[in-house]
Amino acid sequence: MSQNQIRKPPMGWLSWNMYAENIHEDLIRAMADAMVESGMKDCGYEYIIIDDCWSVREGRDEQGHLVPDPKKFPSGMKALADYVHSKGLKLGIYSDACRVTCAGWPGSYGYEEVDARTFAEWGIDFLKQDYWLDVPEGETAQGLYTRMGEALRNCGREIVYAVCEWGSNEPWKWAHSTGAAMWRTTWDIRDTWDSGIYDVQHNGFVNAVDVNAPLADFAGNGGYNDMDMICAGLYGKGSPANGGGACGCTDTEYQSQMTLWCIMNSPLLTCCDLANMNEATKRILMNCEVLAVNQDGCTVQGRRMYAENGFEVFVKPLENGDYAAAVLNRNAEAGRFHLDLTQFGLPAAAEVRDLWAHEAVEHNRYGLDLQVESHETRLLRIRPQEKPCCVHGD
Ligand code: GLA
């Protein structure tokens, strides 16, 4: 792939965190409609992805094909893909590298080629491949994902491949070579700021940040560390997202999640009810200046450069020579943070813009003082001033 063909972190909507097994083709169509009507499509959101529980639970048909549950998808997947495509969007689906999915539906183990061909025939554009823990003896995560990667390469359709192994087998080291465009680095994200502990049930926003931040070297060039779904708009209403006692966040916290996922180049898969978003959720999901940091042509993951006294600084270089810098306040109280630009390798002679406020920020050669609310993340774009062109006669 040449530099300008490199895929950016995928953006879209995923059914799991809000709807779990309560999915239906009418819901999927409604989400596609809302992605267009809300303006999300114009901001770059593209994939509508059906998560677990879409097929007949009891098993495959006589030829070994997965069958869409006729109660949930009476018109079938091909018709649904046609509808989503007619909106200028793409349709994603879910399967599992093992025999069953995490919710207990049939997985793709032993049927990788059949499933990849079936998905291609339906017009599917994206596959989230999960990893339930019944790994057959003698198999490895890398082996299983390689097999599905090969099947997708040979299925006759371009299907974006998303590995969802949760990080236990360090997929950041091998998933890109299986053909994956993204790989989950963390357990399932929960609708909470900080779950205190980090395990299969507990994973708040800052807990995911702590796992993902040290993995910056493994992302870029069309393969991304996936920190799981963007939770803005959930407000404690999604049952899977409420696992481990999570019960919702404030808009400041949702905005922080968006900022951190953007600067760390995570895919941006939203999960709330797109047809009923309030103004705050729309503002968080559709800030084009913020999204441009995530979708920038320089696809390196922003690095955590500083973490002291509850304040953290992340820096990401951008394609045109600008930098994005994020300042996170993890403390329970608001505070002021002095961002010394040169300390983080940033140019002091620069224009600084606040990407959430859409305004220029005053600073001097020592840097700038930022007010950062509790759990807020400020996001700045720093543009080096061009050196004056010297024309001293000749
Ligand atoms: C796992 C995945 C989730 C979701 C569920 C579905 O937990 O990590 O994102 O796909 O399975 O059962």
Side-chain angles (χ1 to χ4, degrees):
M1 260 189 193
S2 78
Q3 189 66 27
N4 13 354
Q5 288 172 316
I6 284 175
R7 186 175 284 118
K8 311 281 173 65
M11 294 171 63
W13 175 88
L14 190 57
S15 62
W16 183 253
N17 258 356
M18 178 83 185
Y19 296 98
E21 67 184 88
N22 303 312
I23 45 175
H24 190 277
E25 63 185 31
D26 293 345
L27 171 79
I28 304 302
R29 287 198 171 98
M31 292 303 109
D33 294 348
M35 190 172 275
V36 176
E37 282 156 22
S38 64
M40 285 177 73
K41 174 172 179 269
D42 292 337
C43 292
Y45 292 91
E46 189 176 19
Y47 294 95
I48 296 284
I49 307 161
I50 304 166
D51 207 286
D52 205 347
C53 314
W54 58 267
S55 68
V56 170
R57 186 170 191 169
E58 290 67 38
R60 296 168 176 266
D61 70 10
E62 281 169 8
Q63 289 77 44
H65 298 117
L66 289 169
V67 182
D69 183 329
K71 284 196 245 39
K72 295 176 178 174
F73 297 95
S75 317
M77 287 299 173
K78 174 91 179 71
L80 190 54
D82 288 347
Y83 183 82
V84 171
H85 293 156
S86 77
K87 296 268 155 184
L89 300 171
K90 296 183 171 163
L91 184 65
I93 211 161
Y94 164 104
S95 191
D96 197 290
C98 299
R99 291 193 188 98
V100 292
T101 72
C102 290
W105 268 247
S108 285
Y109 180 68
Y111 292 91
E112 290 85 354
E113 286 185 16
V114 180
D115 288 354
R117 272 201 309 275
T118 305
F119 298 151
E121 279 160 21
W122 289 342
I124 297 293
D125 306 292
F126 180 109
L127 173 66
K128 170 176 173 178
Q129 185 78 337
D130 210 348
Y131 190 68
W132 182 231
L133 300 171
D134 69 331
V135 182
E137 221 179 302
E139 303 284 6
T140 62
Q142 184 171 354
L144 294 177
Y145 281 104
T146 299
R147 210 174 299 159
M148 182 50 107
E150 266 165 30
L152 291 174
R153 261 196 302 286
N154 297 328
C155 76
R157 185 175 173 85
E158 201 198 319
I159 297 181
V160 172
Y161 186 27
V163 164
C164 178
E165 181 279 342
W166 318 321
S168 318
N169 291 284
E170 303 185 315
W172 45 90
K173 292 186 177 162
W174 49 261
H176 205 184
S177 68
T178 70
M182 52 195 269
W183 44 88
R184 282 269 301 277
T185 54
T186 61
W187 296 116
D188 293 4
I189 195 73
R190 305 298 174 177
D191 191 6
T192 187
W193 175 251
D194 183 352
S195 47
I197 46 173
Y198 174 76
D199 63 23
V200 65
Q201 282 296 322
H202 303 87
N203 179 25
F205 300 168
V206 289
N207 313 98
V209 167
D210 287 339
V211 175
N212 203 66
L215 303 176
D217 282 345
F218 299 99
N221 290 332
Y224 302 100
N225 289 321
D226 174 11
M227 299 163 76
D228 205 8
M229 288 165 252
I230 291 287
C231 295
L234 282 185
Y235 299 115
K237 286 183 290 203
S239 59
N242 285 347
C247 58
C249 291
T250 65
D251 286 324
T252 300
E253 291 166 341
Y254 289 131
Q255 180 173 309
S256 260
Q257 188 204 16
M258 187 64 165
T259 310
L260 293 160
W261 267 230
C262 278
I263 202 157
M264 286 203 269
N265 267 21
S266 179
L268 301 175
L269 300 181
T270 63
C271 57
C272 69
D273 175 1
L274 302 183
N276 291 291
M277 293 186 284
N278 66 16
E279 287 310 310
T281 301
K282 288 183 189 169
R283 195 180 53 77
I284 292 167
L285 297 184
M286 289 189 274
N287 181 327
C288 292
E289 288 193 86
V290 171
L291 294 171
V293 171
N294 179 267
Q295 297 288 298
D296 190 76
C298 175
T299 59
V300 305
Q301 176 174 318
R303 280 175 194 282
R304 181 157 62 184
M305 314 278 284
Y306 173 95
E308 269 179 46
N309 302 322
F311 284 94
E312 299 185 358
V313 177
F314 297 77
V315 174
K316 170 175 157 61
L318 301 172
E319 192 177 26
N320 69 349
D322 293 3
Y323 294 87
V327 180
L328 158 66
N329 178 4
R330 289 170 78 141
N331 298 309
E333 304 83 33
R336 290 192 79 73
F337 182 80
H338 179 73
L339 181 68
D340 177 341
L341 294 167
T342 52
Q343 180 186 352
F344 300 112
L346 298 166
E351 286 167 26
V352 180
R353 186 168 167 79
D354 180 329
L355 299 187
W356 284 110
H358 301 294
E359 63 188 24
V361 180
E362 293 295 318
H363 69 101
N364 60 29
R365 67 195 165 97
Y366 302 110
L368 55 154
D369 278 314
L370 290 170
Q371 170 75 12
V372 196
E373 302 305 323
S374 167
H375 299 177
E376 187 188 18
T377 307
R378 302 283 304 264
L379 183 62
L380 307 170
R381 185 164 184 133
I382 296 154
R383 169 160 300 169
Q385 271 164 12
E386 278 169 14
K387 290 209 178 81
C389 175
C390 304
V391 185
H392 296 302
D394 59 348

